[in-house]
Amino acid sequence: MRVTSKASKKGAQPESTEEGLSEAERTAVKDRAAELRSESRRSRSTNKAAADERDVLAKISAMAQPDRALAERLHALVAAAAPELAPKLWYGQPAYARNGKVVCFFRSGQGDKQRYSTFGFTPEARLDEDHGLWATSFALTELSEQAEAAIERLLRSAVS
């Protein structure tokens, strides 16, 4: 028997089941499976990097504003501050990888039905602090000069 419950808070996942994932989570898993199939086909292609970047740019262009503007600016920031990171889709969202492993990513707030987007780092970034506490993701509603400088510093640290 499948039991469902409706979320009562605004912005929460619309439905969840005792059996597992919400509709948004199932969609992300399906997106990731499609990405893995695409990567496996592309691994034989000489234009894999160009195709991956086209996929990321297409995903960004399909986003609604203001997330599209944030993602476009982040794409430019990553390309400038960490050119060794290659764009690729990761769970249906723009990400940037080193040697095939995702280092940082952007998650659309509108796509997640949240009030902010997220720019985050995976353990591959190795942003560890000596005191044992460090941030791995950041809420993002706009990219001020101060925010851009902070992201550039984090990117340089992640790729060094």
Side-chain angles (χ1 to χ4, degrees):
M1 180 173 142
R2 188 176 183 140
V3 178
T4 62
S5 63
K6 298 205 181 241
S8 61
K9 290 176 69 176
K10 183 179 177 185
Q13 296 297 332
E15 285 194 17
S16 63
T17 67
E18 283 185 10
E19 294 178 19
L21 305 174
S22 69
E23 184 63 35
E25 292 166 329
R26 283 192 293 277
T27 300
V29 169
K30 288 177 185 177
D31 287 346
R32 184 64 182 140
E35 291 159 13
L36 291 171
R37 285 190 300 275
S38 178
E39 284 177 14
S40 115
R41 284 190 302 273
R42 286 185 182 160
S43 66
R44 297 178 290 265
S45 170
T46 57
N47 295 321
K48 180 184 179 326
D52 284 346
E53 183 163 21
R54 278 193 305 274
D55 288 349
V56 167
L57 293 174
K59 181 65 177 184
I60 291 170
S61 70
M63 291 177 184
Q65 291 293 3
D67 285 353
R68 182 182 327 138
L70 288 172
E72 287 171 346
R73 185 64 193 129
L74 278 171
H75 184 76
L77 280 171
V78 173
E84 59 271 40
L85 296 181
K88 67 182 279 179
L89 289 178
W90 192 53
Y91 293 96
Q93 298 290 314
Y96 303 87
R98 175 180 44 225
N99 300 324
K101 296 188 178 194
V102 172
V103 173
C104 59
F105 58 91
F106 175 78
R107 289 214 44 91
S108 166
Q110 291 175 332
D112 289 341
K113 296 181 173 90
Q114 299 294 322
R115 65 181 182 85
Y116 57 85
S117 295
T118 303
F119 184 66
F121 293 88
T122 68
E124 288 296 315
R126 300 192 186 281
L127 296 176
D128 307 36
E129 293 283 341
D130 291 337
H131 53 78
L133 174 73
W134 60 93
T136 59
S137 63
F138 301 87
L140 189 60
T141 57
E142 66 177 281
L143 277 170
S144 64
E145 286 181 27
Q146 184 180 11
E148 287 184 13
I151 289 170
E152 288 172 348
R153 279 190 306 276
L154 288 164
L155 287 167
R156 282 192 292 275
S157 177
V159 297
S160 61

